[in-house]
Amino acid sequence: PTPMVSVNPINAQTQLAFAPQIQSVPVGTDLKAQISVSTGVNSLSGVQFTLNFDPKIVQIMDIVPDNFFAKPTVLLKKIDNQKGKIDYALGSLTPQNGENILATLSLKLISATSSGATKISFSQTKAAEGVNNVLKSATDLTIKILQK
């Protein structure tokens, strides 16, 4: 008989989220939005994501690594304020686990919306533990636009 080989399924526990998840600000405000990471049992060597936003309402000034990785290397950084899209990836040669701030986004609220709110949302998000994507969830940012 052939011996059975047991394969451990990937234990994906990593969560990304904007902290706080809702910010209320008036038009014209410069805003910093932090992306937090919580790894659970995972040890990350890299994170990659696309952020989507309405460029008529929000303009992105910058995105920079924060203190999750001790010596982060930015592997991809593309901010497109015409299309409303950021492609970003960072990693480290030293895998990291725990909870901390992965990156900080600097943005400006340039216009109001009829709905009174806008989102910055994650897509194509990966959290790498070795070759495995261990992302469990990514929570978007809602910006509530206050009347001046």
Side-chain angles (χ1 to χ4, degrees):
T2 312
M4 294 295 291
V5 177
S6 68
V7 177
N8 289 336
I10 298 165
N11 192 354
Q13 293 187 359
T14 298
Q15 299 178 61
L16 296 179
F18 278 96
Q21 291 168 11
I22 299 173
Q23 294 200 32
S24 300
V25 294
V27 171
T29 303
D30 289 350
L31 188 63
K32 289 210 182 298
Q34 294 184 319
I35 299 171
S36 70
V37 60
S38 172
T39 65
V41 299
N42 305 137
S43 288
L44 303 184
S45 54
V47 178
Q48 180 174 352
F49 53 82
T50 297
L51 293 172
N52 301 286
F53 59 95
D54 185 336
K56 293 190 280 303
I57 298 165
V58 171
Q59 291 287 281
I60 306 298
M61 272 96 81
D62 204 3
I63 183 168
V64 294
D66 214 303
N67 54 16
F68 177 72
F69 287 118
K71 292 181 180 165
T73 301
V74 175
L75 305 165
L76 173 66
K77 178 179 173 178
K78 206 163 93 187
I79 300 171
D80 189 331
N81 279 314
Q82 274 71 49
K83 291 183 180 159
K85 189 174 149 179
I86 301 169
D87 294 311
Y88 193 68
L90 73 166
S92 173
L93 294 174
T94 309
Q96 197 65 44
N97 63 6
E99 285 183 43
N100 221 320
I101 306 301
L102 180 70
T104 300
L105 191 61
S106 302
L107 55 113
K108 188 174 188 84
L109 194 60
I110 58 168
S111 177
T113 66
S114 55
S115 69
T118 191
K119 272 192 182 306
I120 297 179
S121 55
F122 285 99
S123 68
Q124 298 169 327
T125 307
K126 297 181 189 78
E129 181 178 59
V131 296
N132 297 318
N133 182 6
V134 291
L135 185 76
K136 180 180 177 183
S137 66
T139 306
D140 300 340
L141 171 67
T142 299
I143 302 169
K144 291 187 176 174
I145 301 160
L146 303 173
Q147 300 302 316
K148 282 198 170 176

